[in-house]
Amino acid sequence: MFIKISLLVVFFAIMIGVGIYARKKVNTVDDFVLGNRSIGPWMTAFAYGTTYFSAVVFVGYAGQFGWKYGLSATWIGLGNALLGSLLAWAVLGRRTRVMTHHLSASTMPEFFGKRFDSHALKVVASAIIFIFMIPYTASVYNGLSRLFAMAFDIPFAVCVLAMAALTGVYVILGGYMATAVNDFIQGCIMLAGIIAVVAATLLSQGGFMAAVSKLAVFESEASVTLGQAGAYTSFFGPDPLNLLGVIILTSLGAWGLPQMVHKFYAIKSEKTITTGMVVTTVFALVVAGGSYFLGGFARLFDSPAIYNANGTVVFDSIIPHMISTLPDVLVGIVVMLVLSASMSTLAALVLTSSSTLTLDFLKGNIIKTMNEKQQLLSLRLLVVFFIAISVIIALDPPDFIAQLMGISWGALAGSFLAPFLYGLYWKRVTNAAVWASFICGVGITVSNMFFHYIASSINAGAIAMVVGLLVVPLVSVITRKPDEQRVSEVFSCYDEMVTVPRRVALEYGIPHDSEHLQ
């Protein structure tokens, strides 16, 4: 217990220290929301990765999908790394940074408002974020409850309040800069923690080959495999179709989440994109791949402790139960791992929510004129507000909110992914197409929550994203073209001429006697 508490005290002290240090660098709204667009490659990469993976992934999803799909759940982590990280940086990174800087957009709703010249789109986008971000924020706490009960035997409420207070302090003090620095520290803890936990868990089963042999004897519960043994160690697992839905939602969904895309707004230079792409991909391979790989062995730890009174599996109990078999030092490391994952995600969510509500809803609508000082005050007050609301929901979640947490990703990504992606690349996207995407994203996920015409809320979210990708170009083609002059001005940022080093010029076949590439 002394070791575990000591680790937490040091961890908390570092987080607060970073907030105090970053406070000196926050003088403007741009500093608070984007770190003055000067965050380096490693911190940007770790900020993306730590925001991506929270306790929901490590405790909830890894346990649930590892139990359902066995070792094939590792495909989810690979999808997160290759599709949700590598390809996201390659496709969105540079264009997002260039266009948002050109439009002076600090948030996703502000991007929609300026890119499509529509104040209404900006307001509605901010409303969607406000509605679906709070329950998602509350869900971040859920993975901590059973883990802290196992490690410290303290009430969940105490854990939630402590984490919320600590996160609030450093976000309020240092804004995005403090969040980015702490994300880097927390990311290092997550990397070391997941490697240690996976290794220790496999050793407890006699090693990798012994663990796989034990897992191979389990018969599948899925009708598609007729219950044969070995399904949980097979290449695509017992239920490949639903597995694909999880991969799409958790990987492609990151492209449309405001708190994820926000990281591209703050890119400092070209080097940040190249380095960030590699570092984020490796980070996701280790953290997400390791988490789902660990969850794949869940059935080896079958125990009455993971079942409720009616005999059904409590998925959130699986990973904590697996961890409880490890030495105390490793338990302490896991607690720090999950705290790091949760706090980094929580910080990104409340910063995104407060900036959206201040810059996209209050400013110019409720409060007609807001100077720099008033905006900073509003941002900090709303950080407190969002954390307080999420704590209240987390401590006593009603059934409706509990359902809403599960569809938050689907509603947000289903609404924003298609118009944001097409808006960066295609001049023909119309306002009507953006409205259609918003309606489809929210409509499919919310209506399915009540009518259940799609069996899995995960698949509903994935379908909402795919529908958006089809609807936006279709509606754009059949509706009136946007103003060509204005769209050309928006896209002119991509045609701005720059000077590059000789090594870049040679790669593009520039004549030997050219001095510069203009």
Side-chain angles (χ1 to χ4, degrees), residues 201-259:
T201 303
L202 290 178
L203 286 174
S204 72
Q205 295 296 316
F208 172 69
M209 293 307 298
V212 172
S213 297
K214 293 177 184 178
L215 188 62
V217 304
F218 283 87
E219 292 185 356
S220 169
E221 298 170 1
S223 59
V224 292
T225 60
L226 303 179
Q228 81 264 24
Y232 293 114
T233 56
S234 64
F235 194 65
F236 290 121
D239 194 358
L241 189 60
N242 279 314
L243 176 63
L244 179 62
V246 177
I247 294 171
I248 292 174
L249 180 68
T250 61
S251 301
L252 192 60
W255 294 35
L257 296 179
Q259 71 273 18

Side-chain angles (χ1 to χ4, degrees), residues 36 69 104 112 118 162 217 245 275 287 309 316 355 359 369 389 397 400 419 443 452-453 455 466 469 489-491:
N36 199 26
Y69 307 131
S104 298
F112 286 130
S118 171
V217 304
T275 305
V287 174
D316 289 348
S355 59
L359 302 178
T369 57
I389 294 296
F400 178 77
H452 305 292
Y453 51 86
V466 173
L469 290 170
E489 193 282 324
V490 169
F491 276 79

Side-chain angles (χ1 to χ4, degrees), residues 238-306:
D239 194 358
L241 189 60
N242 279 314
L243 176 63
L244 179 62
V246 177
I247 294 171
I248 292 174
L249 180 68
T250 61
S251 301
L252 192 60
W255 294 35
L257 296 179
Q259 71 273 18
M260 301 296 297
V261 175
H262 177 261
K263 303 298 182 287
F264 299 137
Y265 290 35
I267 287 174
K268 180 180 181 180
S269 64
E270 181 69 23
K271 181 182 178 182
T272 301
I273 296 175
T274 306
T275 305
M277 190 186 307
V278 175
V279 173
T280 304
T281 303
V282 174
F283 183 91
L285 281 171
V286 175
V287 174
S291 296
Y292 288 110
F293 177 73
L294 174 69
F297 293 99
R299 289 180 181 269
L300 300 184
F301 295 83
D302 197 355
S303 164
I306 67 173

Side-chain angles (χ1 to χ4, degrees), residues 232-496:
Y232 293 114
T233 56
S234 64
F235 194 65
F236 290 121
D239 194 358
L241 189 60
N242 279 314
L243 176 63
L244 179 62
V246 177
I247 294 171
I248 292 174
L249 180 68
T250 61
S251 301
L252 192 60
W255 294 35
L257 296 179
Q259 71 273 18
M260 301 296 297
V261 175
H262 177 261
K263 303 298 182 287
F264 299 137
Y265 290 35
I267 287 174
K268 180 180 181 180
S269 64
E270 181 69 23
K271 181 182 178 182
T272 301
I273 296 175
T274 306
T275 305
M277 190 186 307
V278 175
V279 173
T280 304
T281 303
V282 174
F283 183 91
L285 281 171
V286 175
V287 174
S291 296
Y292 288 110
F293 177 73
L294 174 69
F297 293 99
R299 289 180 181 269
L300 300 184
F301 295 83
D302 197 355
S303 164
I306 67 173
Y307 294 88
N308 59 21
N310 61 12
T312 57
V313 177
V314 181
F315 294 119
D316 289 348
S317 298
I318 294 174
I319 297 297
H321 175 67
M322 294 173 68
I323 301 303
S324 68
T325 63
L326 301 178
D328 283 345
V329 174
L330 282 175
V331 172
I333 292 174
V334 172
V335 170
M336 291 182 63
L337 184 162
V338 176
L339 261 179
S340 297
S342 300
M343 289 177 63
S344 56
T345 303
L346 178 62
L349 293 174
V350 298
L351 187 60
T352 300
S353 300
S354 66
S355 59
T356 294
L357 198 57
T358 296
L359 302 178
D360 303 322
F361 190 76
L362 295 179
K363 182 183 175 184
N365 295 304
I366 306 301
I367 304 175
K368 295 300 180 182
T369 57
M370 294 180 74
N371 59 35
E372 198 85 13
K373 187 175 180 180
Q374 290 172 325
Q375 291 177 56
L376 280 171
L377 178 61
S378 175
L379 285 165
R380 290 187 165 110
L381 289 176
L382 285 172
V383 166
V384 177
F385 170 76
F386 278 106
I387 288 180
I389 294 296
S390 65
V391 166
I392 292 171
I393 295 174
L395 292 178
D396 185 23
D399 292 339
F400 178 77
I401 293 296
Q403 289 178 304
L404 199 58
M405 290 180 207
I407 66 168
S408 291
W409 263 49
L412 290 167
S415 299
F416 299 146
L417 167 61
F420 185 78
L421 175 61
Y422 287 120
L424 292 175
Y425 280 88
W426 192 29
K427 295 181 180 180
R428 185 65 174 80
V429 182
T430 64
N431 287 23
V434 182
W435 284 114
S437 182
F438 287 2
I439 293 169
C440 289
V442 173
I444 291 173
T445 50
V446 173
S447 62
N448 186 67
M449 183 175 65
F450 294 103
F451 301 111
H452 305 292
Y453 51 86
I454 302 172
S456 166
S457 61
I458 296 287
N459 288 340
I463 290 171
M465 288 187 289
V466 173
V467 168
L469 290 170
L470 297 174
V471 163
V472 168
L474 177 62
V475 175
S476 294
V477 169
I478 63 176
T479 53
R480 191 175 67 177
K481 291 183 179 181
D483 181 75
E484 291 187 12
Q485 182 177 351
R486 190 186 178 284
V487 172
S488 295
E489 193 282 324
V490 169
F491 276 79
S492 65
C493 57
Y494 296 143
D495 299 322
E496 182 180 345

